[in-house]
Structure formats: C-alpha cells, structure tokens
Amino acid sequence: MHPNPMVGCVIAVEGEVVGEGWHREFGGAHAETEALNAAGDAARGATAYVSLEPCRHEGKTPPCTRALIEAGIARVVFGARDPHLASGGGAEELATAGVEVVGPLLGDREARRENPAFFHAGSERPWTALKLAVSLDGRIAARPGVRTTISGDAAAEAVQCLRAGFDAILVGTETAVIDNPLLTVRGAVEPRVPPIRIVLDARGRIGTNSRVLTEGTAPTWLLTTSQSPPGWREEIRGRGGRPLEVPSCEAGRVALEPALRILRGEGISALLCEGGGALGSALLERGLVDRLHLIVSGRFLGADGVPAFPGTLPVEGRWRPVEEPRTLGTDVWLALDREEG
C-alpha cells in the first residue's frame, strides 16, 4: 500500500508465461517494465496481465503505457482502473495505439478491498484505519493512567506487519504519555518508507524525552494548537520533531476534521490510528474511520478498566467484515469496513 500500490504483471504467449514482474520499491521500475525486461523479444505480440491499469504519466519512472506499446504488446488485461487524474487513463491511451484492452475486471468494491488507500483518491482526508486491542469485556486498560498489555505476541507481530503498509501512525496525547510508545515497524516486514509517527498534543504535554523523539529514525510530527508554549515547540524541534499547528475545537482539543485535511495536504494518504479510546471514539463518531481493526483478548479487566468505547459500541449496523476473523494465539483479530452512504 505504502507509498505506492503493489502491482504485479505477467506476460504470456498462448498460455505460456514468458515474463513476470512486480513493483519492488518506491521509485523503482514498475511491474510492467520488470515483466517486459524479463520477457525480452518474446513480448512482441504477447498479452500482458496487470493487476492495475497501466499508468500513462511521467513520474519517477517513464509511463508504462509507452513501454508496453514500444515492446509490441498486442493485448493488455487489467484488474482495477486507476482512479488518479495524473496516472489514470492508460487503457484509453493503449487502445488509441492499437492495443487490445480488456478491463477493468474488478469492481469498485473488489478493488478497494485489495488496496483501499489507493482508491481513496479525491478525498480531502487520508484513508484512516483504527486499531485497538480490547479485553473480552471491552476494556483497553486495567485502570485509568495504567499501561496495560492486552494482546499476546502473535497479535503484536501482526500489528507490526499492519503498520508497514501505512504512511503514518497516529496516537492521542494520553496514549503517548501513558504508554510512551515507539511507533516504529519492528517486525519481519520492512516498509519501503518508514511510517511517520504522529502524536496529537494540543497543549504541549509530550516530554522531549519521549521515545518517539529519542528512539528510531522515522520522522515524528506533533499536531498541536496555538495553546502549546513556543518554548516547548522549540524543544521539540531541537529533538528533531516537527510541531505542526492545526485548529482546535471548543474543548481545546485538536479539531479532527481540519487536522486530517492538513495531513492529506502534507502527503499522508493512509493513516493508522492506534488509540487511545477517546481518540478512537471521536474518530468513529465523526465518521472518520474507514476500517476498524479490533484485537479481542480472552482476558477480562473488570469494572475498573478503561472502556474502549464509552457508551454503545459504535459499529453495529454500519460495518461489514473485510475478512474472516483470525485467531492469533489467544486473541481474535476482527477487521471491518465502514459501509458507504
């Protein structure tokens, strides 16, 4: 997903594969070019099967449409249409050049399921996922102000893999202060570009010795408001962090809708929020969450625990499963998408 879609291409002649490729790294050759290089002269008159409509724009690499035409590809079959103004329209360009084009073979829902952030084009805010680990009785901590480990090792490893696919990871002030998380990807999957670490901090409460400022190499942004002291901002900059002023709401907190619009303008297209409960609930109530990841533990935390969602769980009737529930050790991972409209 991040920062470009993972596209695959297979070139075949009469059912025999003569070349295949995929987009290996940001700024590297696209899938079509990789497959054409593998096919060589065998590409002339062949069929190219591509998961995404070939791009037609000049970016970090030349247009894939040009490469396919110059290689003599006779037919292109593609899965999903490219929704972006700059890169989309490749199918029409290929057809104009005399290439037979078949596609898109995937409907909008299928395409969004495979790569939702890429197909969130045109939105004023990032495609946003919320991940929360909750106990069986719906708690995220044993008591207010107490850091509590909810899920097990298998779920923790899966979270690292999840993080690798996002532009940025977001937490609220309380989570940053209480848990002091690192917010980096430390699993087996290495991201092509490390996600930016983002903390909401309206008043400047995060200490300059926080792990997001002192450990790891991923950039750290602090979304703050006019209420944070200028001296604190200077200290944050001295630690290599980036204070980014955003509007506040009546309660003095960061105004979420404007903040997300600013993040989109800063190039964040896929955002993972990892809590806490107050921030997660606020995002859900405002319809700002596109996918909900719930890691449900088999343990109970009791009445003193901090509820993940104060009041009624805000998912009933508006969400649909993305996949079958996954069992990870003693935990269950649920993934749900918000229904459009």
Side-chain angles (χ1 to χ4, degrees):
M1 180 188 302
H2 167 68
N4 289 130
M6 300 292 287
V7 179
C9 177
V10 172
I11 297 175
V13 177
E14 296 181 353
E16 180 182 351
V17 175
V18 296
E20 56 186 358
W22 57 283
H23 189 196
R24 298 173 185 272
E25 59 183 357
F26 180 54
H30 286 191
E32 295 92 326
T33 302
E34 289 267 328
L36 289 171
N37 289 339
D41 293 339
R44 189 159 298 277
T47 297
Y49 299 90
V50 194
S51 57
L52 178 68
E53 178 184 18
C55 68
R56 61 174 178 84
H57 79 302
E58 188 92 34
K60 292 183 178 295
T61 60
C64 292
T65 50
R66 183 197 305 166
L68 292 165
I69 293 167
E70 292 177 352
I73 288 291
R75 182 169 177 256
V76 171
V77 180
F78 70 95
R81 186 174 294 280
D82 189 333
H84 296 77
L85 292 177
S87 55
E92 288 76 9
E93 185 170 302
L94 289 168
T96 300
V99 178
E100 180 187 353
V101 179
V102 179
L105 299 183
L106 298 179
D108 290 344
R109 175 169 287 190
E110 291 175 297
R112 289 179 65 87
R113 183 186 63 216
E114 295 301 320
N115 197 336
F118 183 77
F119 294 97
H120 199 62
S123 175
E124 293 184 344
R125 64 170 179 82
W127 184 83
T128 303
L130 170 65
K131 186 276 297 180
L132 289 175
V134 301
S135 65
L136 203 56
D137 52 346
R139 313 288 173 172
I140 59 173
R143 292 184 304 279
V146 175
R147 180 178 182 179
T148 307
T149 299
I150 303 292
S151 53
D153 292 343
E157 184 176 343
V159 168
Q160 297 297 331
C161 184
L162 178 69
R163 286 177 174 180
F166 285 82
D167 296 315
I169 303 168
L170 172 72
V171 296
T173 309
E174 293 300 322
T175 297
V177 170
I178 296 170
D179 291 351
N180 194 19
L182 187 55
L183 300 182
T184 57
V185 179
R186 304 180 297 280
V189 178
E190 183 177 350
R192 291 183 284 177
V193 178
I196 295 169
R197 301 176 285 188
I198 302 178
V199 178
L200 296 187
D201 191 356
R203 298 180 176 86
R205 294 176 51 199
I206 304 301
T208 55
N209 60 344
S210 298
R211 297 178 73 200
V212 291
L213 293 167
T214 60
E215 299 180 35
T217 59
T220 298
W221 296 358
L222 282 298
L223 296 190
T224 190
T225 70
S226 58
Q227 302 172 73
S228 62
W232 173 82
R233 298 188 192 196
E234 286 304 314
E235 291 180 359
I236 293 298
R237 292 188 187 97
R239 284 289 194 177
R242 181 191 179 193
L244 187 60
E245 185 169 324
V246 297
S248 60
C249 59
E250 292 180 0
R253 301 185 181 92
V254 167
L256 294 176
E257 289 89 344
L260 292 183
R261 286 196 294 269
I262 289 171
L263 289 180
R264 183 74 183 206
E266 292 284 339
I268 305 299
S269 60
L271 179 67
L272 174 63
C273 176
E274 295 199 4
L279 174 57
S281 293
L283 289 168
L284 285 165
E285 289 168 4
R286 290 164 173 78
L288 301 175
V289 176
D290 301 291
R291 179 166 294 175
L292 178 60
H293 293 280
L294 284 179
I295 304 170
V296 183
S297 168
R299 60 185 298 197
F300 286 87
L301 292 181
D304 292 335
V306 179
F309 305 107
T312 304
L313 187 67
V315 297
E316 185 176 355
R318 298 177 52 217
W319 298 76
R320 58 180 173 82
V322 178
E323 58 188 26
E324 292 295 322
R326 284 188 287 161
T327 300
L328 299 170
T330 58
D331 306 311
V332 176
W333 187 304
L334 306 174
L336 308 110
D337 270 3
R338 182 167 60 91
E339 290 282 6
E340 297 295 332

